[in-house]
């Protein structure tokens, strides 16, 4: 009845904080909710210039969101203008048939919990291989293909067209074409309320249609 598209960057801490809510939505709504994730690359101006800067950000965001563990900034590579490797490797695994959230979550954990340098293609591919059962070679070949980068650039452009700039972001659409966009929130309540309202409206239209025959 309702589809939610989750726009994320694999190395976004706010997206990482949101993941338990993302999982809970599937449990709450079951087959009434179709979930899909898309990549929206963080631009250079949104990336940390140093691990120390990211530490300061993690202290602030961790306290605001009441995290029980501070994230690890050792993954930060100031020489990178965008983090293609973790994002494109995640997309590559999905294109190779490993759907769901497991690969991108393992790469995110590798970065923000273990401090691994996921900006390095080989590091991200190694994490993905362990999580997916695919080989690193197969993953790297797909991840570095023009096709996969086009997918990431296209979804980033769709995100930018919404006129929002905070990740995570969400585009919700029901079968009767009700639509809603959220950007930057990581709490379940606004999403749950909106999805419930969309489902209710869709069910009402189904009832109306059933009485027209």
């Amino acid at each position: 009845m309702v589809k939610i598209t989750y726009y994320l960057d694999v190395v976004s801490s706010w997206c990482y904080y949101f993941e338990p809510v993302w999982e809970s939505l599937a449990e709450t709504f079951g087959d009434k909710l179709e979930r899909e994730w898309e990549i929206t690359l963080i631009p250079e101006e949104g990336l940390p210039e140093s691990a120390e800067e990211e530490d300061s950000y993690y202290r602030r965001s961790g306290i605001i969101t009441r995290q029980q563990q501070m994230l690890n900034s050792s993954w930060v590579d100031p020489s990178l203008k965008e983090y293609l490797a973790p994002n494109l490797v995640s997309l590559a695994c999905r294109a190779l048939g490993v759907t769901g959230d497991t690969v991108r979550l393992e790469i995110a954990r590798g970065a923000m919990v273990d401090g691994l340098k996921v900006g390095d293609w080989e590091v991200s591919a190694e994490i993905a291989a362990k999580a997916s059962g695919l080989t690193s070679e197969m993953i790297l070949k797909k991840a570095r293909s023009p096709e996969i980068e086009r997918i990431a650039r296209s979804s980033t452009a769709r995100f930018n067209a919404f006129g929002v700039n905070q990740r995570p972001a969400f585009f919700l659409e029901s079968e009767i074409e009700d639509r809603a966009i959220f950007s930057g929130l990581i709490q379940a309540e606004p999403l749950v309320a909106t999805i419930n309202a969309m489902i209710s409206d869709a069910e009402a239209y189904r009832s109306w249609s059933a009485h027209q025959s």
Side-chain angles (χ1 to χ4, degrees):
M1 287 187 177
V2 177
K3 178 178 179 180
I4 180 171
T5 304
Y6 166 26
Y7 288 89
L8 63 99
D9 188 299
V10 174
V11 297
S12 163
S13 58
W14 283 95
C15 294
Y16 186 73
Y17 295 149
F18 173 74
E19 293 299 340
V21 175
W22 180 243
E23 183 178 351
S24 74
L25 292 178
E27 298 170 358
T28 300
F29 294 103
D31 59 7
K32 291 185 177 181
L33 180 67
E34 177 186 354
R35 300 182 312 144
E36 181 177 277
W37 57 268
E38 297 289 353
I39 294 299
T40 173
L41 297 165
I42 298 175
E44 180 181 359
E45 60 269 22
L47 293 172
E49 295 183 0
S50 66
E52 291 75 19
E53 179 184 340
E54 192 75 335
D55 278 336
S56 177
Y57 180 77
Y58 285 165
R59 289 188 187 95
R60 183 183 65 182
S61 64
I63 291 170
I64 289 171
T65 59
R66 296 176 173 81
Q67 301 299 313
Q68 301 303 301
Q69 178 183 14
M70 181 167 160
L71 297 181
N72 189 333
S73 66
S74 298
W75 62 272
V76 172
D77 183 346
S79 70
L80 296 179
K81 307 305 180 186
E82 54 187 358
Y83 282 82
L84 288 179
N87 288 291
L88 270 56
V89 163
S90 298
L91 286 173
C93 289
R94 186 171 70 179
L96 290 167
V98 184
T99 58
D101 305 313
T102 301
V103 170
R104 63 174 184 80
L105 281 176
E106 286 303 308
I107 296 173
R109 289 190 189 102
M112 289 178 278
V113 175
D114 300 327
L116 301 178
K117 296 286 189 181
V118 298
D120 182 290
W121 289 92
E122 283 72 20
V123 172
S124 277
E126 182 179 351
I127 297 170
K130 291 178 181 177
S132 67
L134 302 170
T135 67
S136 296
E137 293 76 14
M138 183 188 304
I139 293 169
L140 283 173
K141 182 178 180 181
K142 190 71 171 177
R144 286 172 162 161
S145 68
E147 166 203 356
I148 293 300
E149 184 166 351
R150 277 196 299 271
I151 291 171
R153 300 293 180 195
S154 178
S155 56
T156 300
R158 286 194 296 275
F159 167 82
N160 291 332
F162 293 147
V164 300
N165 62 5
Q166 297 298 318
R167 298 157 183 80
F170 313 94
F171 181 79
L172 298 94
E173 183 173 23
S174 76
E175 64 184 48
I176 60 172
E177 299 185 345
D178 290 342
R179 296 185 177 96
I181 297 172
F182 292 92
S183 174
L185 62 82
I186 62 170
Q187 294 85 9
E189 291 80 6
L191 291 171
V192 170
T194 301
I195 295 166
N196 275 325
M198 286 184 164
I199 290 173
S200 178
D201 285 352
E203 287 175 339
Y205 270 78
R206 285 187 180 184
S207 177
W208 179 85
S209 296
H211 287 78
Q212 303 311 304
S213 56

